[in-house]
Coordinates of all heavy atoms in Angstrom, one line a residue:
M219 N -57.2 40.0 -1.6 CA -56.8 38.7 -1.4 C -57.6 37.7 -2.3 O -58.8 37.9 -2.5 CB -57.0 38.2 0.0 CG -56.1 38.8 1.0 SD -56.3 37.9 2.6 CE -54.9 38.4 3.4
Q220 N -56.9 36.7 -2.8 CA -57.6 35.8 -3.6 C -57.7 34.4 -2.8 O -56.7 34.0 -2.3 CB -56.8 35.5 -4.9 CG -57.5 34.6 -5.9 CD -56.7 34.5 -7.2 OE1 -55.5 34.8 -7.3 NE2 -57.4 34.0 -8.2
F221 N -58.9 33.9 -2.9 CA -59.1 32.6 -2.2 C -59.6 31.6 -3.2 O -60.2 31.9 -4.2 CB -60.1 32.8 -1.0 CG -59.5 33.6 0.1 CD1 -59.8 35.0 0.1 CD2 -58.8 33.1 1.1 CE1 -59.4 35.8 1.1 CE2 -58.3 34.0 2.1 CZ -58.6 35.3 2.1
G222 N -59.5 30.4 -2.9 CA -60.0 29.3 -3.8 C -59.4 28.0 -3.4 O -58.6 27.9 -2.5
V223 N -59.9 27.0 -4.0 CA -59.5 25.6 -3.7 C -58.1 25.4 -4.3 O -58.0 25.5 -5.5 CB -60.5 24.6 -4.2 CG1 -60.0 23.2 -3.9 CG2 -61.9 24.9 -3.5
G224 N -57.1 25.1 -3.5 CA -55.8 24.8 -4.0 C -55.1 25.9 -4.7 O -54.2 25.6 -5.5
S225 N -55.5 27.1 -4.4 CA -54.9 28.2 -5.1 C -53.5 28.6 -4.6 O -53.3 28.5 -3.3 CB -55.8 29.5 -5.0 OG -55.3 30.5 -5.8
P226 N -52.5 28.8 -5.3 CA -52.5 28.7 -6.8 C -52.3 27.3 -7.2 O -51.7 26.5 -6.5 CB -51.3 29.6 -7.2 CG -50.4 29.5 -6.0 CD -51.2 29.4 -4.8
G227 N -52.6 27.0 -8.4 CA -52.4 25.7 -9.0 C -53.5 24.7 -8.9 O -53.4 23.6 -9.4
G228 N -54.6 25.1 -8.1 CA -55.7 24.2 -8.0 C -56.4 24.0 -9.3 O -56.4 24.9 -10.1
S229 N -57.1 22.9 -9.4 CA -57.9 22.6 -10.7 C -59.1 23.5 -10.7 O -59.6 23.9 -9.7 CB -58.3 21.1 -10.6 OG -57.2 20.3 -10.7
D230 N -59.6 23.7 -11.9 CA -60.8 24.6 -12.1 C -62.0 23.8 -11.6 O -62.9 24.4 -11.1 CB -60.9 24.9 -13.6 CG -59.8 25.9 -14.0 OD1 -59.4 26.7 -13.2 OD2 -59.4 25.8 -15.2
L231 N -62.0 22.5 -11.8 CA -63.2 21.7 -11.4 C -62.7 20.7 -10.3 O -61.8 20.0 -10.5 CB -63.7 20.9 -12.6 CG -64.2 21.8 -13.8 CD1 -64.6 20.9 -15.0 CD2 -65.3 22.7 -13.4
I232 N -63.5 20.7 -9.2 CA -63.2 19.8 -8.2 C -64.5 19.1 -7.7 O -65.6 19.6 -8.1 CB -62.5 20.4 -6.9 CG1 -63.5 21.5 -6.3 CG2 -61.2 21.1 -7.3 CD1 -63.2 21.8 -4.9
G233 N -64.4 18.1 -7.0 CA -65.6 17.4 -6.5 C -65.2 16.1 -5.9 O -64.0 15.8 -5.6
Y234 N -66.2 15.2 -5.8 CA -65.9 13.9 -5.3 C -66.8 12.9 -6.1 O -67.7 13.3 -6.7 CB -66.2 13.8 -3.8 CG -67.6 14.2 -3.4 CD1 -68.7 13.3 -3.5 CD2 -67.9 15.5 -3.1 CE1 -70.0 13.6 -3.2 CE2 -69.2 15.8 -2.8 CZ -70.3 14.9 -2.8 OH -71.5 15.3 -2.5
R235 N -66.4 11.7 -6.0 CA -67.2 10.6 -6.6 C -67.2 9.5 -5.6 O -66.2 9.1 -5.1 CB -66.5 10.2 -7.9 CG -67.2 9.1 -8.6 CD -66.5 8.8 -9.9 NE -65.3 8.1 -9.7 CZ -65.1 6.8 -10.0 NH1 -66.1 6.1 -10.5 NH2 -64.0 6.2 -9.7
K236 N -68.4 9.0 -5.3 CA -68.5 7.8 -4.4 C -68.0 6.6 -5.1 O -68.2 6.4 -6.3 CB -70.0 7.6 -4.0 CG -70.5 8.7 -3.0 CD -71.9 8.3 -2.5 CE -72.3 9.4 -1.6 NZ -73.6 9.0 -1.0
V237 N -67.3 5.8 -4.3 CA -66.7 4.6 -4.8 C -67.1 3.4 -3.9 O -67.0 3.5 -2.6 CB -65.2 4.6 -4.8 CG1 -64.6 3.3 -5.2 CG2 -64.7 5.8 -5.7
T238 N -67.7 2.4 -4.4 CA -68.0 1.2 -3.6 C -66.8 0.3 -3.5 O -66.1 0.0 -4.5 CB -69.1 0.4 -4.3 OG1 -70.3 1.2 -4.5 CG2 -69.5 -0.9 -3.6
I239 N -66.4 0.1 -2.2 CA -65.3 -0.7 -1.9 C -65.6 -2.2 -2.2 O -66.5 -2.8 -1.6 CB -64.8 -0.5 -0.5 CG1 -64.5 0.9 -0.2 CG2 -63.5 -1.4 -0.2 CD1 -63.5 1.6 -1.0
T240 N -64.8 -2.9 -3.0 CA -65.0 -4.3 -3.4 C -64.1 -5.1 -2.5 O -63.1 -4.6 -2.0 CB -64.8 -4.5 -4.9 OG1 -63.4 -4.2 -5.1 CG2 -65.7 -3.6 -5.7
P241 N -64.3 -6.4 -2.4 CA -63.4 -7.2 -1.7 C -61.9 -7.1 -2.2 O -61.0 -7.1 -1.3 CB -63.9 -8.6 -1.9 CG -65.4 -8.5 -2.1 CD -65.5 -7.2 -2.9
E242 N -61.7 -6.9 -3.5 CA -60.4 -6.8 -4.0 C -59.7 -5.5 -3.5 O -58.5 -5.4 -3.6 CB -60.4 -6.8 -5.5 CG -61.0 -8.1 -6.1 CD -62.5 -8.2 -6.1 OE1 -63.2 -7.2 -6.2 OE2 -63.0 -9.4 -6.1
M243 N -60.5 -4.5 -3.1 CA -59.9 -3.2 -2.7 C -59.6 -3.1 -1.2 O -59.0 -2.2 -0.8 CB -60.9 -2.1 -3.1 CG -61.1 -2.0 -4.6 SD -62.5 -0.9 -5.0 CE -61.8 0.7 -4.5
V244 N -60.0 -4.1 -0.4 CA -59.8 -4.1 1.0 C -58.3 -3.9 1.2 O -57.5 -4.6 0.7 CB -60.3 -5.3 1.7 CG1 -59.9 -5.3 3.2 CG2 -61.8 -5.4 1.6
G245 N -58.0 -2.9 2.1 CA -56.6 -2.6 2.4 C -56.0 -1.5 1.5 O -54.9 -1.0 1.8
T246 N -56.7 -1.1 0.5 CA -56.3 -0.1 -0.4 C -56.6 1.3 0.2 O -57.7 1.5 0.7 CB -57.0 -0.2 -1.8 OG1 -56.7 -1.5 -2.4 CG2 -56.5 0.9 -2.8
E247 N -55.7 2.2 0.1 CA -56.0 3.6 0.6 C -56.8 4.3 -0.5 O -56.4 4.3 -1.7 CB -54.7 4.3 0.9 CG -54.0 3.7 2.1 CD -52.8 4.6 2.5 OE1 -52.3 5.4 1.7 OE2 -52.2 4.3 3.6
V248 N -57.8 5.0 -0.1 CA -58.6 5.8 -1.0 C -58.7 7.2 -0.4 O -58.8 7.4 0.8 CB -60.0 5.3 -1.3 CG1 -59.9 3.9 -2.0 CG2 -60.8 5.1 -0.1
P249 N -58.7 8.3 -1.3 CA -58.8 9.6 -0.7 C -60.3 9.9 -0.3 O -61.2 9.4 -0.9 CB -58.4 10.5 -1.9 CG -58.7 9.7 -3.1 CD -58.5 8.3 -2.7
V250 N -60.4 10.8 0.7 CA -61.6 11.2 1.2 C -61.7 12.8 1.1 O -60.7 13.4 1.5 CB -61.9 10.8 2.6 CG1 -63.2 11.4 3.2 CG2 -61.9 9.3 2.8
F251 N -62.7 13.3 0.4 CA -62.8 14.8 0.3 C -62.9 15.4 1.7 O -63.6 14.9 2.6 CB -64.0 15.1 -0.5 CG -64.1 16.5 -0.9 CD1 -63.6 16.9 -2.2 CD2 -64.7 17.5 -0.1 CE1 -63.7 18.3 -2.6 CE2 -64.7 18.8 -0.5 CZ -64.2 19.2 -1.8
A252 N -62.1 16.5 1.9 CA -62.1 17.1 3.2 C -62.2 18.7 3.0 O -61.6 19.2 2.0 CB -60.8 16.8 4.0
A253 N -62.9 19.3 3.9 CA -63.1 20.8 3.8 C -63.1 21.3 5.2 O -63.9 20.9 6.0 CB -64.4 21.1 3.0
V254 N -62.3 22.3 5.4 CA -62.2 23.0 6.7 C -62.5 24.5 6.5 O -61.8 25.1 5.7 CB -60.9 22.8 7.4 CG1 -60.9 23.6 8.8 CG2 -60.6 21.3 7.7
E255 N -63.5 25.0 7.1 CA -63.9 26.4 7.0 C -63.2 27.1 8.2 O -63.4 26.8 9.3 CB -65.4 26.6 7.1 CG -65.8 28.0 7.0 CD -65.5 28.7 5.7 OE1 -65.6 28.1 4.7 OE2 -65.0 29.9 5.8
V256 N -62.2 28.0 7.9 CA -61.4 28.6 8.9 C -62.1 29.9 9.4 O -62.4 30.8 8.5 CB -60.0 28.9 8.5 CG1 -59.2 29.6 9.5 CG2 -59.4 27.5 8.1
K257 N -62.2 30.1 10.7 CA -62.8 31.3 11.2 C -62.0 31.8 12.4 O -61.2 31.1 13.0 CB -64.2 31.0 11.8 CG -65.2 30.6 10.7 CD -65.5 31.7 9.8 CE -66.6 31.3 8.7 NZ -66.8 32.4 7.8
T258 N -62.2 33.1 12.7 CA -61.5 33.7 13.8 C -62.3 33.1 15.1 O -63.3 32.5 15.0 CB -61.7 35.2 13.8 OG1 -63.0 35.6 13.9 CG2 -61.0 35.8 12.6
A259 N -61.8 33.5 16.2 CA -62.4 33.0 17.5 C -63.8 33.4 17.6 O -64.6 32.6 18.2 CB -61.6 33.6 18.7
K260 N -64.2 34.5 17.1 CA -65.6 34.9 17.2 C -66.3 34.8 15.8 O -67.6 35.1 15.8 CB -65.7 36.4 17.6 CG -65.2 36.6 19.1 CD -65.4 38.0 19.5 CE -64.8 38.2 20.9 NZ -65.0 39.6 21.4
G261 N -65.7 34.4 14.8 CA -66.3 34.2 13.5 C -67.3 33.1 13.4 O -67.2 32.2 14.2
R262 N -68.3 33.3 12.6 CA -69.4 32.4 12.5 C -69.6 32.0 11.0 O -69.5 32.8 10.1 CB -70.8 33.0 13.0 CG -70.7 33.4 14.4 CD -70.7 32.2 15.3 NE -70.6 32.5 16.7 CZ -69.5 32.3 17.5 NH1 -68.5 31.7 16.9 NH2 -69.5 32.7 18.7
A263 N -69.9 30.7 10.8 CA -70.1 30.2 9.4 C -71.4 30.8 8.9 O -72.4 30.8 9.7 CB -70.1 28.7 9.4
T264 N -71.5 31.1 7.6 CA -72.7 31.5 7.0 C -73.6 30.3 6.8 O -73.2 29.2 6.9 CB -72.5 32.2 5.7 OG1 -71.9 31.2 4.8 CG2 -71.5 33.3 5.7
E265 N -74.9 30.5 6.5 CA -75.8 29.5 6.3 C -75.3 28.6 5.0 O -75.5 27.4 5.1 CB -77.2 30.0 6.0 CG -77.8 30.5 7.3 CD -77.9 29.5 8.5 OE1 -78.2 28.3 8.3 OE2 -77.5 29.9 9.6
Q266 N -74.8 29.3 4.0 CA -74.3 28.6 2.9 C -73.1 27.7 3.3 O -72.9 26.6 2.8 CB -73.9 29.6 1.8 CG -75.0 30.3 1.2 CD -75.3 31.6 1.9 OE1 -74.9 31.9 3.0 NE2 -76.1 32.5 1.2
Q267 N -72.2 28.2 4.1 CA -71.0 27.4 4.5 C -71.5 26.2 5.4 O -71.0 25.2 5.2 CB -70.1 28.3 5.3 CG -69.4 29.4 4.5 CD -68.7 30.4 5.3 OE1 -69.0 30.7 6.4 NE2 -67.6 31.0 4.6
K268 N -72.4 26.4 6.2 CA -73.0 25.3 7.1 C -73.7 24.3 6.1 O -73.4 23.1 6.4 CB -74.0 25.8 8.0 CG -73.5 26.7 9.2 CD -74.6 27.2 10.0 CE -74.1 28.2 11.1 NZ -75.3 28.7 11.8
A269 N -74.4 24.7 5.1 CA -75.0 23.8 4.2 C -74.0 23.0 3.4 O -74.1 21.8 3.2 CB -75.9 24.5 3.2
F270 N -72.8 23.7 3.0 CA -71.8 23.0 2.3 C -71.1 21.9 3.2 O -70.9 20.7 2.7 CB -70.7 24.0 1.8 CG -69.6 23.3 1.1 CD1 -69.7 23.0 -0.2 CD2 -68.3 23.2 1.7 CE1 -68.7 22.4 -0.9 CE2 -67.3 22.5 1.0 CZ -67.5 22.2 -0.3
I271 N -70.8 22.3 4.4 CA -70.3 21.3 5.4 C -71.2 20.1 5.6 O -70.8 19.0 5.5 CB -69.9 22.0 6.7 CG1 -68.8 23.0 6.5 CG2 -69.7 21.0 7.8 CD1 -68.6 24.0 7.7
E272 N -72.4 20.4 5.7 CA -73.4 19.3 5.9 C -73.5 18.4 4.7 O -73.5 17.1 4.8 CB -74.8 19.8 6.2 CG -75.9 18.8 6.5 CD -77.2 19.3 6.8 OE1 -77.3 20.6 7.0 OE2 -78.2 18.5 6.9
H273 N -73.5 19.0 3.5 CA -73.5 18.3 2.2 C -72.3 17.3 2.1 O -72.4 16.1 1.8 CB -73.5 19.2 1.1 CG -73.5 18.5 -0.3 ND1 -74.5 17.9 -0.8 CD2 -72.4 18.3 -1.1 CE1 -74.2 17.4 -2.0 NE2 -72.9 17.6 -2.2
I274 N -71.1 17.9 2.4 CA -69.9 17.0 2.4 C -69.9 15.9 3.4 O -69.6 14.7 3.0 CB -68.6 17.9 2.6 CG1 -68.4 18.9 1.5 CG2 -67.3 17.0 2.7 CD1 -68.3 18.4 0.1
R275 N -70.4 16.2 4.6 CA -70.5 15.1 5.6 C -71.5 14.0 5.2 O -71.2 12.8 5.3 CB -70.9 15.7 7.0 CG -69.8 16.5 7.6 CD -70.3 17.0 8.9 NE -69.3 17.8 9.6 CZ -69.5 18.5 10.7 NH1 -70.8 18.7 11.1 NH2 -68.5 19.1 11.3
N276 N -72.6 14.5 4.7 CA -73.7 13.5 4.2 C -73.2 12.6 3.1 O -73.7 11.5 2.9 CB -75.0 14.2 3.8 CG -75.7 14.8 5.0 OD1 -75.5 14.4 6.2 ND2 -76.5 15.8 4.8
A277 N -72.3 13.1 2.3 CA -71.7 12.4 1.1 C -70.6 11.5 1.6 O -70.0 10.8 0.7 CB -71.3 13.4 0.1
G278 N -70.2 11.5 2.8 CA -69.1 10.7 3.3 C -67.8 11.3 3.5 O -66.8 10.7 3.8
G279 N -67.7 12.6 3.2 CA -66.5 13.4 3.4 C -66.3 13.9 4.8 O -67.1 13.6 5.7
I280 N -65.2 14.6 4.9 CA -64.9 15.2 6.3 C -65.0 16.7 6.1 O -64.4 17.3 5.2 CB -63.4 14.8 6.6 CG1 -63.3 13.3 6.7 CG2 -63.0 15.5 7.9 CD1 -61.9 12.8 6.7
A281 N -65.7 17.3 7.0 CA -65.9 18.8 7.0 C -66.2 19.4 8.3 O -66.8 18.7 9.2 CB -66.9 19.2 6.0
G282 N -65.8 20.6 8.6 CA -66.2 21.3 9.8 C -65.6 22.7 9.8 O -65.0 23.2 8.8
V283 N -65.9 23.4 10.9 CA -65.4 24.8 11.1 C -64.3 24.7 12.2 O -64.5 24.1 13.2 CB -66.6 25.7 11.6 CG1 -66.0 27.1 11.9 CG2 -67.7 25.7 10.6
A284 N -63.2 25.4 11.9 CA -62.1 25.4 12.8 C -61.7 26.9 13.2 O -61.7 27.7 12.3 CB -60.9 24.7 12.2
R285 N -61.4 27.1 14.4 CA -61.0 28.4 14.9 C -59.6 28.3 15.4 O -59.1 29.3 16.0 CB -61.9 28.9 16.0 CG -63.3 29.2 15.4 CD -64.3 29.6 16.5 NE -65.6 29.9 15.9 CZ -66.4 29.0 15.4 NH1 -66.2 27.7 15.6 NH2 -67.6 29.4 14.9
S286 N -58.9 27.2 15.3 CA -57.5 27.0 15.7 C -56.9 25.8 14.9 O -57.6 25.1 14.3 CB -57.5 26.7 17.2 OG -58.0 25.5 17.5
V287 N -55.6 25.8 15.0 CA -54.9 24.6 14.4 C -55.4 23.3 15.0 O -55.6 22.3 14.3 CB -53.4 24.8 14.5 CG1 -52.7 23.5 14.1 CG2 -52.9 26.0 13.8
D288 N -55.6 23.3 16.4 CA -56.0 22.1 17.0 C -57.4 21.7 16.6 O -57.6 20.5 16.4 CB -56.0 22.3 18.6 CG -54.7 22.4 19.2 OD1 -53.7 21.9 18.6 OD2 -54.5 22.9 20.3
E289 N -58.3 22.6 16.4 CA -59.6 22.3 15.9 C -59.5 21.7 14.5 O -60.3 20.8 14.1 CB -60.6 23.5 15.9 CG -61.1 23.8 17.3 CD -62.1 24.9 17.3 OE1 -62.4 25.5 16.2 OE2 -62.6 25.3 18.4
A290 N -58.7 22.3 13.6 CA -58.5 21.8 12.2 C -58.0 20.4 12.3 O -58.5 19.5 11.5 CB -57.6 22.7 11.4
Q291 N -57.0 20.1 13.1 CA -56.4 18.8 13.2 C -57.5 17.8 13.7 O -57.6 16.7 13.2 CB -55.2 18.8 14.0 CG -54.0 19.4 13.5 CD -52.8 19.5 14.4 OE1 -53.0 19.6 15.6 NE2 -51.6 19.5 13.8
S292 N -58.3 18.2 14.6 CA -59.4 17.4 15.1 C -60.4 17.0 14.0 O -60.8 15.8 13.9 CB -60.1 18.0 16.3 OG -61.1 17.2 16.8
I293 N -60.8 18.0 13.2 CA -61.7 17.7 12.1 C -61.1 16.7 11.2 O -61.7 15.8 10.7 CB -62.0 19.0 11.4 CG1 -62.9 19.9 12.3 CG2 -62.8 18.7 10.1 CD1 -63.0 21.4 11.8
L294 N -59.8 16.9 10.8 CA -59.2 16.0 9.8 C -58.7 14.7 10.3 O -58.6 13.7 9.5 CB -58.0 16.8 9.2 CG -58.4 18.1 8.4 CD1 -57.1 18.9 8.1 CD2 -59.2 17.8 7.2
L295 N -58.4 14.6 11.6 CA -57.8 13.4 12.1 C -58.6 12.5 13.0 O -58.3 11.4 13.2 CB -56.5 13.7 12.8 CG -55.4 14.5 11.9 CD1 -54.2 14.9 12.8 CD2 -55.0 13.7 10.7
D296 N -59.7 13.0 13.5 CA -60.5 12.2 14.4 C -61.6 11.5 13.7 O -62.1 11.8 12.7 CB -61.1 13.1 15.5 CG -60.1 13.6 16.5 OD1 -59.0 13.1 16.5 OD2 -60.4 14.5 17.3

């Protein structure tokens, strides 16, 4: 199996860039980087996966570990 970001068709380079919201931008929709690590009911995130999730959260993104569709939706929508 092949895994990757946005595969097939995903860009080779991905990331995020912090943007300061100016008064002129209020009300404008801006994308937020999101990452969901999918695991089985008993699966556990590796230390590297945990560090990645923490890094994304600290940078203002949305990230977490999901073991069900409901958990994934909660990470992305709450």
Side-chain angles (χ1 to χ4, degrees):
M219 287 189 164
Q220 185 178 18
F221 295 93
V223 178
S225 187
S229 297
D230 293 322
L231 303 174
I232 63 159
Y234 58 86
R235 183 177 72 107
K236 289 187 178 185
V237 175
T238 300
I239 304 300
T240 64
E242 297 80 27
M243 296 171 68
V244 172
T246 301
E247 292 184 349
V248 295
V250 176
F251 191 92
V254 177
E255 181 63 40
V256 178
K257 296 293 182 187
T258 64
K260 294 183 181 181
R262 300 288 175 251
T264 66
E265 291 304 313
Q266 293 90 345
Q267 291 167 334
K268 290 177 189 177
F270 180 78
I271 289 167
E272 182 178 352
H273 176 80
I274 296 302
R275 288 179 177 169
N276 288 339
I280 300 166
V283 176
R285 292 175 179 78
S286 68
V287 172
D288 287 340
E289 284 185 0
Q291 287 176 332
S292 179
I293 291 166
L294 296 171
L295 302 176
D296 289 344

